Amino acid sequence: MERELPGVAAVTDRGHRHHRNEDFFAVAEGTLPDGSPAVLAIVCDGVSSASRPDDASAAASGVAARSLLAALPGGTHPQRAMHDAILAAAKSVNALAAAPNQAQQHDPYRQQNAPACTFVGAVVGGGLLVIGWVGDSRAYWVPDDRSAPAVRLTEDDSWAAQMVANNLMSEAEAYADDRAHAITGWLGADAYELEPHTASFKPDGPGVVVVCTDGLWNYAEAAEQLAAVLPGDAHDRPLHSARTLVAHALAGGGHDNVTVAVVPFPAPSGRAGSA
């Protein structure tokens, strides 16, 4: 599935190994109070060991996008709007556990525990870049000036990240461990206390935000690796760039679902309409 709007594009692919796509994305254009455009992308990765992971990621991405589109024109600061959108997304995933889908009783692939997913989102508008996340889906900043460094904007809620943060292992050691990708934060009724992460940035030049699931970053983990794969004209051709990144993951093995959104910064000029 792909979608392209003037200021954002996203692509998702089932990959080579999974029987279904448990990722989902939402992209949209809204407005800030002064009428200037705000562009958003939400990417969610269903937790395969949970029940109905595809439903969880679809619910979370859709609810978060609608929450942001409602909050931003009213003057809510984008970082606060992102925080609230994550809480709304979590509530929507929790509700799935309270209303089980009858189909899961007849589907051998549907587990019987609470639906769950990761979350990462980006909002670009008003000269500001806002990121929000829970889990191990990521956002990267890649400047148009490739002589400047690309940067990962998120920190994983994962076993490996915890080991590195506590100086118990080097990054190479932690990510080589079988437990590396065990997540320590997610959206779902059986999650630990939810702690939405948000951050705001004011880039000093144009570039793109790449929002993705681990189906991509497993094949381009470091920011400089991802930047090396991203086409140089990503700012002007976000859909082509998202397709290129997905193709890179598939060529590397495609062991997981792959979802990528590319959001140019700054947002395109001109009044945007919601989508």
Side-chain angles (χ1 to χ4, degrees), residues 151-176:
V151 181
R152 172 153 60 99
L153 303 176
T154 54
E155 291 292 335
D156 299 343
D157 290 319
S158 71
W159 181 90
Q162 225 170 46
M163 293 298 104
V164 175
N166 290 316
N167 295 314
L168 297 174
M169 294 177 118
S170 71
E171 192 161 335
E173 290 170 335
Y175 281 98

Side-chain angles (χ1 to χ4, degrees), residues 255-268:
H255 286 205
D256 200 354
N257 308 143
V258 189
T259 304
V260 179
V262 176
V263 191
F265 179 95

Side-chain angles (χ1 to χ4, degrees), residues 4 23 34 63-64 86 113 119 133 142 165 178 183 193 210 248:
E4 182 179 35
D23 291 355
D34 63 359
V63 166
I86 295 174
N113 49 352
F119 179 101
W133 75 97
V142 183
D178 289 342
I183 57 173
E193 185 175 351
V210 175
H248 174 76

Side-chain angles (χ1 to χ4, degrees), residues 96-162:
L96 293 175
N101 188 328
Q102 296 302 311
Q104 74 185 54
Q105 299 173 10
H106 309 291
D107 183 348
Y109 294 111
R110 292 186 183 271
Q111 309 300 316
Q112 299 299 314
N113 49 352
C117 67
T118 68
F119 179 101
V120 64
V123 174
V124 166
L128 197 65
L129 160 60
V130 170
I131 303 294
W133 75 97
V134 176
D136 65 349
S137 293
R138 294 181 176 181
Y140 294 83
W141 166 253
V142 183
D144 283 1
D145 176 6
R146 295 300 177 86
S147 66
V151 181
R152 172 153 60 99
L153 303 176
T154 54
E155 291 292 335
D156 299 343
D157 290 319
S158 71
W159 181 90
Q162 225 170 46

Side-chain angles (χ1 to χ4, degrees), residues 181-192:
H181 289 279
I183 57 173
T184 57
W186 61 88
L187 307 185
D190 61 354
Y192 305 120

